[in-house]
Short mmCIF file of all heavy atoms in Angstrom, two decimals:
data_model
loop_
_atom_site.label_atom_id
_atom_site.label_comp_id
_atom_site.label_asym_id
_atom_site.label_seq_id
_atom_site.Cartn_x
_atom_site.Cartn_y
_atom_site.Cartn_z
N GLY B 267 30.07 -34.21 43.58
CA GLY B 267 31.31 -33.38 43.35
C GLY B 267 32.45 -33.81 44.27
O GLY B 267 33.58 -33.95 43.77
N PHE B 271 35.89 -35.58 42.98
CA PHE B 271 37.19 -34.97 43.34
C PHE B 271 38.07 -36.02 44.01
O PHE B 271 39.27 -36.12 43.65
CB PHE B 271 36.94 -33.80 44.31
CG PHE B 271 38.20 -33.05 44.63
CD1 PHE B 271 38.59 -31.94 43.87
CD2 PHE B 271 39.02 -33.40 45.67
CE1 PHE B 271 39.73 -31.23 44.15
CE2 PHE B 271 40.19 -32.73 45.98
CZ PHE B 271 40.56 -31.63 45.22
N CYS B 275 40.86 -36.25 41.36
CA CYS B 275 41.68 -35.04 41.54
C CYS B 275 42.58 -35.08 42.74
O CYS B 275 43.60 -34.36 42.79
CB CYS B 275 40.78 -33.78 41.68
SG CYS B 275 39.53 -33.65 40.39
N LEU B 298 43.89 -26.40 46.66
CA LEU B 298 42.57 -25.80 46.35
C LEU B 298 41.78 -25.43 47.59
O LEU B 298 40.58 -25.11 47.53
CB LEU B 298 41.76 -26.74 45.50
CG LEU B 298 42.38 -27.14 44.14
CD1 LEU B 298 41.41 -28.10 43.38
CD2 LEU B 298 42.64 -25.92 43.30
N THR B 299 42.37 -25.45 48.76
CA THR B 299 41.67 -25.16 49.99
C THR B 299 40.91 -23.86 50.01
O THR B 299 39.83 -23.72 50.52
CB THR B 299 42.63 -25.17 51.18
OG1 THR B 299 43.38 -26.38 51.19
CG2 THR B 299 41.90 -25.00 52.52
N THR B 300 41.49 -22.82 49.32
CA THR B 300 40.85 -21.49 49.36
C THR B 300 40.31 -21.12 47.96
O THR B 300 40.15 -19.89 47.68
CB THR B 300 41.90 -20.40 49.78
OG1 THR B 300 42.97 -20.44 48.82
CG2 THR B 300 42.47 -20.74 51.14
N PHE B 301 40.02 -22.07 47.16
CA PHE B 301 39.60 -21.77 45.79
C PHE B 301 38.38 -20.85 45.77
O PHE B 301 38.34 -19.93 44.94
CB PHE B 301 39.30 -23.06 45.00
CG PHE B 301 39.11 -22.81 43.52
CD1 PHE B 301 40.17 -22.94 42.65
CD2 PHE B 301 37.89 -22.44 43.00
CE1 PHE B 301 40.04 -22.67 41.30
CE2 PHE B 301 37.70 -22.21 41.66
CZ PHE B 301 38.79 -22.31 40.81
N GLY B 302 37.41 -21.05 46.66
CA GLY B 302 36.24 -20.23 46.66
C GLY B 302 36.48 -18.76 47.06
O GLY B 302 35.63 -17.92 46.88
N LEU B 318 35.04 -22.48 35.44
CA LEU B 318 35.74 -23.63 36.02
C LEU B 318 35.41 -24.91 35.30
O LEU B 318 36.27 -25.77 35.06
CB LEU B 318 35.38 -23.76 37.52
CG LEU B 318 36.05 -24.90 38.28
CD1 LEU B 318 37.57 -24.86 38.17
CD2 LEU B 318 35.66 -24.86 39.73
N ILE B 322 38.05 -27.39 33.46
CA ILE B 322 38.13 -28.83 33.78
C ILE B 322 38.02 -29.68 32.48
O ILE B 322 38.76 -30.65 32.31
CB ILE B 322 37.07 -29.23 34.82
CG1 ILE B 322 37.36 -28.56 36.14
CG2 ILE B 322 37.01 -30.77 34.97
CD1 ILE B 322 36.23 -28.74 37.17
N ALA B 348 29.09 -31.05 38.96
CA ALA B 348 29.18 -31.29 40.41
C ALA B 348 30.51 -30.99 40.98
O ALA B 348 30.66 -30.44 42.07
CB ALA B 348 28.75 -32.75 40.69
N LEU B 349 31.57 -31.34 40.22
CA LEU B 349 32.94 -31.10 40.64
C LEU B 349 33.20 -29.59 40.75
O LEU B 349 33.80 -29.13 41.74
CB LEU B 349 33.93 -31.75 39.65
CG LEU B 349 35.41 -31.56 39.91
CD1 LEU B 349 35.78 -32.15 41.32
CD2 LEU B 349 36.22 -32.26 38.84
N ALA B 350 32.73 -28.85 39.76
CA ALA B 350 32.97 -27.38 39.80
C ALA B 350 32.23 -26.76 40.97
O ALA B 350 32.75 -25.83 41.64
CB ALA B 350 32.46 -26.74 38.47
N SER B 351 31.06 -27.22 41.26
CA SER B 351 30.27 -26.70 42.40
C SER B 351 31.00 -27.01 43.73
O SER B 351 31.08 -26.16 44.62
CB SER B 351 28.89 -27.33 42.39
OG SER B 351 28.14 -26.86 43.52
N TYR B 352 31.56 -28.24 43.81
CA TYR B 352 32.28 -28.60 45.03
C TYR B 352 33.52 -27.74 45.24
O TYR B 352 33.80 -27.23 46.32
CB TYR B 352 32.67 -30.09 44.97
CG TYR B 352 33.65 -30.52 46.04
CD1 TYR B 352 33.22 -30.75 47.34
CD2 TYR B 352 34.99 -30.72 45.74
CE1 TYR B 352 34.10 -31.10 48.36
CE2 TYR B 352 35.89 -31.10 46.76
CZ TYR B 352 35.42 -31.29 48.04
OH TYR B 352 36.31 -31.70 49.06
N ILE B 353 34.31 -27.55 44.16
CA ILE B 353 35.56 -26.82 44.27
C ILE B 353 35.28 -25.29 44.60
O ILE B 353 36.00 -24.71 45.41
CB ILE B 353 36.37 -26.93 42.92
CG1 ILE B 353 36.86 -28.37 42.75
CG2 ILE B 353 37.60 -25.96 42.95
CD1 ILE B 353 37.53 -28.62 41.43
N MET B 354 34.24 -24.78 43.98
CA MET B 354 33.87 -23.37 44.29
C MET B 354 33.45 -23.19 45.71
O MET B 354 33.51 -22.08 46.30
CB MET B 354 32.76 -22.87 43.35
CG MET B 354 33.19 -22.72 41.92
SD MET B 354 34.33 -21.34 41.62
CE MET B 354 33.29 -19.94 41.96
N GLY B 355 33.06 -24.24 46.35
CA GLY B 355 32.62 -24.15 47.77
C GLY B 355 33.74 -24.28 48.74
O GLY B 355 33.51 -24.13 49.96
N LEU B 356 34.98 -24.56 48.27
CA LEU B 356 36.12 -24.60 49.17
C LEU B 356 36.58 -23.24 49.62
O LEU B 356 36.97 -22.46 48.78
CB LEU B 356 37.29 -25.35 48.44
CG LEU B 356 37.02 -26.80 48.02
CD1 LEU B 356 38.13 -27.38 47.20
CD2 LEU B 356 36.79 -27.69 49.27
N SER B 357 36.47 -22.94 50.88
CA SER B 357 36.72 -21.60 51.38
C SER B 357 37.10 -21.61 52.84
O SER B 357 36.68 -22.49 53.63
CB SER B 357 35.49 -20.72 51.19
OG SER B 357 35.63 -19.50 51.89
#
Side-chain angles (χ1 to χ4, degrees):
F271 186 92
C275 311
L298 301 180
T299 306
T300 62
F301 191 92
L318 181 54
I322 294 171
L349 180 58
S351 179
Y352 170 74
I353 294 175
M354 289 293 290
L356 297 173
S357 168

